[in-house]
């Protein structure tokens, strides 16, 4: 009996072995056939990675004395504010001299560097710290740094390619060449006010001197003076780009929309370029024609004067909508929604006075790749806030109802 059992077991084992030989187990593909695809990086992470690689290649290229001299000469000749240069255009000019220099320093083919530079978001380069611009004489005492989002810790490389993180709030003693997302419109000639030529109007966008008495400004709401407690800009991003927006009712809804912007890329009379904490001049925020048309289309509604520090597309508010809406709710709650204004002029006087704000929601979405605009705040008349500053009549209130500045508004 035992013998029969052993024979049956042996036969079963034999049958199993034969079956396995006819149907061998699946094996992993050989190395040439194995395809492992990494998940794509999110847009912001991909932009950071690409910008870092280009910044390192640029730093290595600056190890060459002749190329450093070329870079310094191009920066010195730039007519744009802060002597900025469009990075990709700089690399391509002069027969692709910059592309070739980066490729040589990184040990890559020029075509690979060109492909890498063209796929990344548009970048600009410059020395954002004025002291660095004055100090750098073209030596190898230079860092190349990049950051995508404002106030990110800049990633920097020296001319040997060594990587380091910099303090986002304080620049180092060593001069820094920034390679960062474009904030400058390089497609138009620089404003003459940026070239230290006569501009008139305290830098607020008036015309240059042809002699005679300038024509009176067109009727409307004007800002003539502003002070902000901070520049709301990381040092790697250079001078601030303040913008003043007129927000009002969107259609017949309870939402806000943007009716007009005053900023550095706007034409006169909406040209406004404040590069420090203080500014004085004469910039129109909303014309009388626009204001009358708004009041006719939106009876009983009023407008908000809203300030941002632009980090993205010029004259488009791209801020976190939740943060913006929370800021508006806090400000409205603190001042019983008397946080808007309108033309209260009479036959004897022209004046812009406080009024009730009814629209409280902002529906625009933030940018997915470029940095977001900083919310400076909603202007509230000083008599409503209960504080005043000589020469100013509206207080700029930001998130958590913090005072971020004060401005002077006039109807003219």
């Amino acid at each position: 009996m035992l013998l029969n059992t052993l024979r049956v077991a042996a036969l079963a084992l034999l049958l199993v072995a034969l079956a396995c030989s006819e149907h061998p187990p699946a094996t992993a593909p050989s190395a040439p056939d194995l395809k492992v695809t990494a998940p794509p990086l999110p847009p912001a992470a991909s932009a950071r990675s690409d910008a870092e690689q280009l910044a390192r290649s640029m730093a290595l290229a600056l190890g060459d004395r002749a190329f450093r001299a070329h870079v310094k000469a191009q920066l010195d000749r730039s007519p744009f504010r802060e002597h900025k240069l469009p990075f990709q255009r700089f690399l391509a000019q002069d027969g692709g001299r910059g592309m070739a220099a980066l490729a040589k320093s990184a040990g890559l083919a020029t075509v690979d560097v060109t492909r890498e530079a063209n796929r990344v978001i548009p970048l600009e380069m410059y020395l954002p710290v004025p002291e660095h611009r004055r100090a750098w004489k073209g030596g190898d005492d230079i860092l190349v740094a990049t950051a995508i989002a404002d106030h990110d810790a800049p990633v920097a490389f020296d001319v040997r390619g060594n990587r380091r993180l910099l303090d986002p709030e304080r620049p180092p003693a060593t001069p820094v060449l920034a390679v960062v997302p474009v904030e400058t419109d390089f497609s138009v000639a620089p404003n003459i006010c940026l070239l230290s030529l006569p501009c008139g109007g305290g830098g607020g966008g008036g015309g240059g001197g042809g002699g005679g008495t300038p024509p009176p400004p067109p009727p409307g709401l004007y800002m003539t003076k502003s002070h902000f407690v901070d520049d709301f800009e990381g040092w790697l991003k250079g001078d601030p780009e303040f913008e003043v927006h007129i927000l009002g009712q969107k259609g017949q809804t309870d939402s806000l929309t943007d009716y007009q912007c005053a900023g550095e890329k706007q034409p006169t009379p909406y040209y406004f370029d404040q590069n420090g904490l203080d500014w004085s001049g004469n910039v129109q925020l909303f014309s009388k024609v626009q204001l009358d048309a708004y009041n006719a289309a939106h009876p009983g509604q009023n407008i908000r004067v809203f300030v941002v520090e632009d980090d993205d597309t010029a004259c488009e508010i791209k801020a976190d909508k939740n943060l913006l809406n929370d800021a508006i709710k806090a400000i409205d709650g603190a001042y019983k929604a008397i946080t808007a204004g309108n033309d209260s002029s009479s036959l004897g006087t022209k004046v812009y006075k406080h009024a009730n704000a009814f629209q409280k929601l902002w529906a625009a979405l933030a940018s997915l790749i470029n940095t977001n605009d900083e919310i400076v705040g909603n202007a509230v008349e000083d008599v409503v806030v209960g504080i005043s500053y000589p020469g100013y009549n509206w207080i700029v209130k930001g998130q958590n109802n913090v005072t971020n500045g004060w401005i002077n508004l006039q109807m003219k």
Side-chain angles (χ1 to χ4, degrees):
M1 183 67 180
L2 177 61
L3 182 61
N4 290 337
T5 302
L6 291 175
R7 288 174 177 171
V8 172
L11 180 60
L13 289 173
L14 178 61
L15 291 175
V16 169
L18 290 173
C20 289
S21 65
E22 292 176 1
H23 302 284
T27 59
S30 59
D33 297 326
L34 185 61
K35 296 181 180 180
V36 178
T37 303
L41 292 171
S46 177
R48 288 187 183 93
S49 176
D50 292 342
E52 274 195 40
Q53 184 59 46
L54 285 171
R56 184 177 186 275
S57 298
M58 183 68 183
L60 289 170
L62 289 174
D64 180 78
R65 180 183 300 177
F67 185 64
R68 286 199 308 271
H70 171 65
V71 170
K72 187 175 190 312
Q74 294 298 310
L75 290 169
D76 289 345
R77 282 200 291 265
S78 171
F80 294 93
R81 183 166 57 83
E82 301 175 277
H83 295 280
K84 292 183 176 183
L85 291 172
F87 184 65
Q88 282 94 337
R89 191 189 308 171
F90 163 79
L91 294 179
Q93 69 185 16
D94 297 329
R97 177 176 178 177
M99 294 289 189
L102 266 64
K104 180 180 178 182
S105 68
L108 300 172
T110 301
V111 65
D112 293 331
V113 174
T114 301
R115 185 184 306 111
E116 184 178 329
N118 290 337
R119 80 181 181 191
V120 74
I121 60 177
L123 301 168
E124 61 187 16
M125 75 172 186
Y126 68 118
L127 282 89
V129 180
E131 292 80 4
H132 291 175
R133 289 198 293 271
R134 291 190 290 267
W136 190 55
K137 305 302 181 184
D140 62 1
D141 56 332
I142 186 78
L143 299 173
V144 180
T146 189
I148 298 300
D150 199 10
H151 302 290
D152 277 355
V155 177
F157 301 90
D158 62 23
V159 296
R160 287 166 291 281
N162 297 315
R163 184 182 188 272
R164 68 184 76 173
L165 287 180
L166 303 180
D167 188 326
E169 303 304 326
R170 288 176 294 277
T174 304
V176 174
L177 179 69
V179 177
V180 292
V182 166
E183 289 184 344
T184 305
D185 185 357
F186 293 105
S187 67
V188 297
N191 189 285
I192 59 172
C193 297
L194 307 183
L195 303 180
S196 301
L197 298 177
C199 297
T213 303
L221 174 63
Y222 283 78
M223 184 173 74
T224 63
K225 201 173 181 181
S226 60
H227 169 83
F228 300 114
V229 300
D230 191 3
D231 63 12
F232 299 91
E233 185 85 289
W235 65 265
L236 193 69
K237 304 285 281 184
D239 290 340
E241 288 81 35
F242 289 111
E243 295 176 348
V244 184
H245 294 255
I246 298 296
L247 307 184
Q249 185 181 27
K250 181 178 182 180
Q252 302 303 314
T253 71
D254 63 352
S255 297
L256 291 163
T257 192
D258 198 346
Y259 278 88
Q260 182 61 56
C261 167
E264 65 169 337
K265 296 180 178 66
Q266 293 291 87
T268 302
Y270 300 107
Y271 174 79
F272 165 61
D273 185 24
Q274 178 170 344
N275 295 319
L277 300 183
D278 292 281
W279 172 91
S280 63
N282 204 41
V283 57
Q284 186 172 85
L285 304 182
F286 214 39
S287 72
K288 187 69 165 66
V289 171
Q290 288 174 305
L291 190 53
D292 288 346
Y294 175 83
N295 287 332
H298 306 273
Q301 307 298 318
N302 299 297
I303 58 173
R304 295 177 187 261
V305 175
F306 204 84
V307 183
V308 301
E309 194 281 313
D310 176 60
D311 275 338
D312 206 330
T313 311
C315 277
E316 292 182 27
I317 298 178
K318 290 190 175 180
D320 186 302
K321 66 177 181 179
N322 293 323
L323 292 178
L324 196 152
N325 288 335
D326 287 346
I328 290 175
K329 290 176 184 176
I331 298 163
D332 285 358
Y335 305 110
K336 300 180 180 179
I338 309 176
T339 51
N342 216 316
D343 180 13
S344 299
S345 302
S346 63
L347 292 177
T349 183
K350 291 184 178 180
V351 62
Y352 180 77
K353 296 291 291 180
H354 61 268
N356 284 312
F358 298 102
Q359 288 71 44
K360 308 177 189 306
L361 302 176
W362 179 257
L365 297 178
S367 167
L368 294 178
I369 295 181
N370 290 350
T371 56
N372 290 320
D373 298 340
E374 296 279 353
I375 301 169
V376 182
N378 190 115
V380 184
E381 193 172 9
D382 56 3
V383 297
V384 176
V385 177
I387 59 174
S388 62
Y389 298 89
Y392 303 88
N393 55 9
W394 287 69
I395 312 301
V396 179
K397 288 288 188 173
Q399 291 169 276
N400 301 315
N401 195 35
V402 172
T403 297
N404 282 334
W406 34 94
I407 61 179
N408 191 62
L409 300 179
Q410 296 179 6
M411 289 297 300
K412 295 189 176 182

